[in-house]
């Protein structure tokens, strides 16, 4: 375990030295890694750091408001409202790789616009150790908005947390006094809810994934999983009232893990599963079926795409 | 509860009277209802009854062999090998209603060919009480190859079990000495595995649904559900060996019910679920994820389409 009291001043010194007088930019995803890296860098260089949060419309419930509050002390914070542009870019795209690609492209475009606008020559990233390991293999692509440095031209990249594991990041976050909403928040993939709806991304599917995930997070707070969420798999028949309906199948995923590289499906009890399914099907008219993912990683991934 | 010892001779007398000297035909689905109706009618009129089993390629593992054995004493049994014709009829069809329609049409075509060939003027059906109730509403369509009498021209239809519930049918089956493989077999829908693979029906998906269902039936024999099976929902990412794969999501469904009109998802224990998921993902290379359906009927149906 890293010694936080040593790590923080060292990391800040590293960031200061790397930036000099230059302006740096960092992409905030809403996840703990980028939030912590931003908080760390902001403590080091203040408004020389421009944190950019792109609201892709693929975010969790309350995510944008949370970011706005957590980082309200940063004058340089930029929130880009890009929901419509992302939905347009994703219209008609069903292949998972193409979806991720479309999101990555659009993200780079949004990010580049801000980078040029603030004349940023440096990039700060919240990369952590498992990201580096996984991107060496073929397991994971684009989960952390990879590709940014390859496309946008920066003089240098700073990755102050490159040797940390997730639990160490959380400790740094707590030490920096980040809202527990951020420091304890579950991991969230770069492409957001897009990898939690199979096939084409539509506003309706996103709404179902978002609302159902809020129920899952609420019900599983005590079970304290590494990561828990809801995904939208497709449609199946159901019965609501006296009518046959064709409703969404929502998958609930809850896993235990130390670092995300491997994970165990969490053994939830039947009452909890029933409470979750009845809240989701009760609250969302268009959902008629809830399934629980019982697969570990491997052979499944934590996310669906 | 119906008195089986009175019911059987009365039903046989009804069938004999209805048929007179005419030839009747009955469609065998592999399910307990049609099998019992066929056994009952065959006892009454012998080879005047022609049981027709259409192998649609949408059947459970070992279903065709089971039919062949169980009904080997019936000289009039016809087994129609129609797998390719059904796959052709289903190619490119993704909408659930259109799938059911395509299957119904092809089934009628196959059935009509035999009916003409043996000059059948009467139809025997294994309709039971809940079928009649459900087809009055809009809940269920074509699950029992409905529509046959509307299209093929018969002088009369005999439904000897029209007032029975499923458990009464099983009792009749046992009394008639039907193989327990048939009398205790779980309900199976008319359109077969086609309603257990979402989207287009392909040989690969059918193979996955068939093999995974065999695992589920084997593992849940002791749990003794009303109905248990596996369905193929779509593809999601997974990890097999060192590779990222895009594998099938298999849903496991196991429900308790008295009559199929309502049903409760069965509270399986975690060890059982883990045994099922590990056998399915271990045995089938193309499957990387197993989910367990925790929804009752309503709001879900038992089947997926």
């Amino acid at each position: 375990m890293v010694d936080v009291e040593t790590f923080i001043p060292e990391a800040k010194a590293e960031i200061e030295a790397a930036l000099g007088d230059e302006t740096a930019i960092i992409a905030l995803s809403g996840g703990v890694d980028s939030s912590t890296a931003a908080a760390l860098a902001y403590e080091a260089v203040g408004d020389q750091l421009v944190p950019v949060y792109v609201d892709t419309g693929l975010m969790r419930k309350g995510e944008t408001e949370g970011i706005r509050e957590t980082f309200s002390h940063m004058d340089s914070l930029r929130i880009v409202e890009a929901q419509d542009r992302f939905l347009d870019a994703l219209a008609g795209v069903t292949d998972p790789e193409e979806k991720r690609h479309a999101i990555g492209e659009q993200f780079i475009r949004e990010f580049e616009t801000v980078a040029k606008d603030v004349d940023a020559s440096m990039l700060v990233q919240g990369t952590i150790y498992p990201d580096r390991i996984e991107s060496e293999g073929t397991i994971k692509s684009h989960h952390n908005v990879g590709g940014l440095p390859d496309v946008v031209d920066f003089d240098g990249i700073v990755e102050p947390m490159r040797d940390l594991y997730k639990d160490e990041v959380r400790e740094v976050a707590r030490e920096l006094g980040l809202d527990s909403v951020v420091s304890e928040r579950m991991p969230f993939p770069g492409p957001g809810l897009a990898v939690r709806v199979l096939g084409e991304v539509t506003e309706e599917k996103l709404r179902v994934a978002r609302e159902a995930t809020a129920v899952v997070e609420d019900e599983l707070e005590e079970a304290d999983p590494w990561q828990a969420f809801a995904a939208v798999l497709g449609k199946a028949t159901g019965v609501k009232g006296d009518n046959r309906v064709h409703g969404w199948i929502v998958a609930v995923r809850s896993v235990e893990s130390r670092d995300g590289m491997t994970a165990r499906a969490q053994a939830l009890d039947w009452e909890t599963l029933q409470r979750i399914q009845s809240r989701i099907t009760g609250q969302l008219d268009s959902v008629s079926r809830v399934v629980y993912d019982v697969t570990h990683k491997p052979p499944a991934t934590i996310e669906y795409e």
Side-chain angles (χ1 to χ4, degrees), chain A residues 105-121:
Chain A
E105 290 265 295
Q106 187 61 38
F107 193 90
I108 287 167
R109 217 162 291 152
E110 303 289 346
F111 195 74
E112 200 170 28
T113 305
V114 181
K116 280 189 182 146
D117 193 40
V118 302
D119 200 19
S121 61

Side-chain angles (χ1 to χ4, degrees), chain A residues 48-187:
Chain A
Q48 242 179 291
L49 177 78
V50 179
V52 181
Y53 172 81
V54 178
D55 187 345
T56 59
L58 309 169
M59 319 309 287
R60 282 173 288 195
K61 196 170 179 176
E63 193 115 49
T64 303
E65 297 75 4
I67 289 277
R68 213 184 288 276
E69 271 175 44
T70 307
F71 299 110
S72 59
H73 63 289
M74 300 182 179
D75 290 335
S76 53
L77 173 68
R78 294 284 192 109
I79 292 185
V80 183
E81 304 279 354
Q83 298 94 317
D84 291 347
R85 293 193 290 276
F86 276 84
L87 267 185
D88 284 351
L90 285 164
V93 184
T94 56
D95 178 80
E97 284 299 325
E98 284 174 30
K99 279 163 72 177
R100 251 183 255 118
H101 187 73
I103 293 165
E105 290 265 295
Q106 187 61 38
F107 193 90
I108 287 167
R109 217 162 291 152
E110 303 289 346
F111 195 74
E112 200 170 28
T113 305
V114 181
K116 280 189 182 146
D117 193 40
V118 302
D119 200 19
S121 61
M122 298 290 287
L123 176 70
V124 179
Q125 283 199 310
T127 320
I128 67 173
Y129 185 69
D131 296 334
R132 294 197 291 141
I133 298 304
E134 295 212 331
S135 64
E136 278 169 17
T138 57
I139 304 292
K140 201 166 169 179
S141 72
H142 295 287
H143 262 200
N144 290 285
V145 202
L148 260 187
D150 300 335
V151 178
V152 188
D153 196 29
F154 292 105
D155 291 344
I157 299 164
V158 193
E159 295 179 322
M161 308 190 313
R162 63 188 170 279
D163 295 324
L164 303 193
Y165 279 95
K166 190 73 106 184
D167 45 358
E168 297 173 326
V169 175
R170 293 194 198 280
E171 217 193 316
V172 172
R174 283 189 286 265
E175 185 71 21
L176 291 172
L178 271 187
D179 272 4
S180 67
V181 137
V182 172
S183 69
E184 310 310 319
R185 197 139 208 210
M186 291 185 276

Side-chain angles (χ1 to χ4, degrees), chain A residues 218-290:
Chain A
D218 183 45
E219 286 291 343
L220 296 185
E221 211 176 326
E222 273 184 38
D224 196 27
W226 160 270
Q227 195 169 345
F229 60 88
V232 177
L233 303 190
K235 282 193 162 183
T237 47
V239 184
K240 290 216 168 178
D242 283 336
N243 295 316
R244 182 186 174 89
V245 297
H246 202 215
W248 295 111
I249 308 169
V250 166
V252 174
R253 181 103 169 110
S254 183
V255 299
E256 289 168 328
S257 178
R258 201 191 91 85
D259 52 20
M261 295 170 73
T262 62
R264 306 279 301 171
Q266 201 175 25
L268 296 182
D269 60 73
W270 190 247
E271 290 64 38
T272 305
L273 288 171
Q274 283 308 314
R275 235 177 16 249
I276 293 174
Q277 79 85 355
S278 116
R279 273 184 68 181
I280 292 175
T281 56
Q283 199 171 305
L284 294 162
D285 259 357
S286 60
V287 177
S288 54
R289 203 178 284 262
V290 174

